[in-house]
């Protein structure tokens, strides 16, 4: 019986891949993944079979990997962490539907998430409670996304926005900003990191009233601060509250 390891390859730089994730790729006979992510790990793929597919072909890719894993060691790769908007859930769903006598074993190898990489570029914006919301309405109804944005804003969470903008979803980030502005101050710091951990990485720190005027792409991550978040010397910081403890 074969095996599937669902691997989080990190934000894109091989230096930010965990040793466990790298070892899973090195030991695999076959690598399956989105073509863009396959390119990020090309130096590790010599001599391996590669199952690469385009965007919106996740189910076909994972089914092909599950079939391959009946008698081989397969690594299914996701960027960041495979359990955060990655392939871990889909691989488990597909393999658990297979007959037990042909079902490969499945392991998930954690990776450095995009939100962790982006936060490190900005400074320390995630030092307190935070929410993570994707603005992609391909798999989630926009009414549900709006509800989650309102809840995060009302609760004063630092909010990490995945999939903030694409050609087909150009206005969703503006709608998100409008929702946030109903509950947060216009001068709330907002950090935008594009291509975190990859070639061409860039960051911008703006505020809630103006950040949608900055360049934002499908490779960007947006982090909206809470009421305590501030910017100093180019770093976005959300206090954890240690200074209050010292005063007691």
């Amino acid at each position: 019986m074969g095996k599937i390891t669902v691997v989080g390859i990190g934000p894109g730089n091989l230096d930010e891949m965990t040793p466990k994730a790298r070892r899973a790729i090195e030991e695999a006979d076959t690598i399956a993944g989105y073509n863009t992510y396959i390119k990020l790990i090309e130096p590790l793929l010599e001599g391996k079979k590669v199952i690469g597919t385009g965007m919106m072909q996740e189910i076909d890719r994972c089914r092909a990997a599950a079939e391959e894993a009946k008698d081989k060691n397969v690594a299914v790769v996701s960027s960041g962490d495979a359990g955060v908007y990655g392939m871990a859930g889909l691989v488990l769903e597909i393999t658990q539907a297979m007959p037990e006598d042909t079902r490969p074993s499945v392991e998930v190898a954690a990776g450095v998430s995009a939100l962790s990489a982006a936060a490190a570029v900005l400074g320390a914006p995630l030092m307190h409670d935070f929410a993570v919301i994707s603005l992609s309405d391909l798999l989630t109804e926009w009414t549900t996304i709006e509800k989650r944005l309102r809840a995060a804003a009302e609760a004063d969470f630092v909010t990490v926005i995945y999939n903030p903008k694409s050609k087909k979803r150009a206005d969703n980030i503006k709608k998100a900003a409008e929702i946030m502005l109903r509950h947060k101050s216009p001068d709330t710091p907002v950090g935008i990191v594009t291509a975190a951990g990859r070639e061409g990485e860039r960051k911008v720190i703006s505020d809630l009233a103006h950040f949608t005027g900055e360049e934002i792409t499908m490779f960007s991550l947006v982090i909206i601060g809470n009421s305590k978040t501030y910017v100093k010397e180019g770093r976005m910081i959300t206090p954890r509250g240690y200074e209050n403890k010292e005063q007691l």
Side-chain angles (χ1 to χ4, degrees), residues 28-43:
D29 304 304
T30 302
I31 308 296
Y34 175 41
N35 288 326
T36 298
Y37 303 151
I38 291 290
K39 290 180 181 178
L40 295 174
I41 58 170
E42 278 184 338

Side-chain angles (χ1 to χ4, degrees), residues 3 11 21 37 45 54 64 78 105 114 124 145 157 178 185 197 220 234-235 237:
K3 174 185 178 181
Y37 303 151
L45 302 183
S78 294
S105 63
I145 296 171
F157 281 110
E178 290 170 1
S185 170
S220 301
R235 298 296 185 96
I237 303 167

Side-chain angles (χ1 to χ4, degrees), residues 23 46 196:
R23 187 165 59 250
E46 185 176 354

Side-chain angles (χ1 to χ4, degrees), residues 3 8 21 40 108 118 155-156 173 175 180 221:
K3 174 185 178 181
L40 295 174
V108 179
D156 196 28
I173 189 65
K175 295 175 184 176
M180 289 279 166
L221 207 68

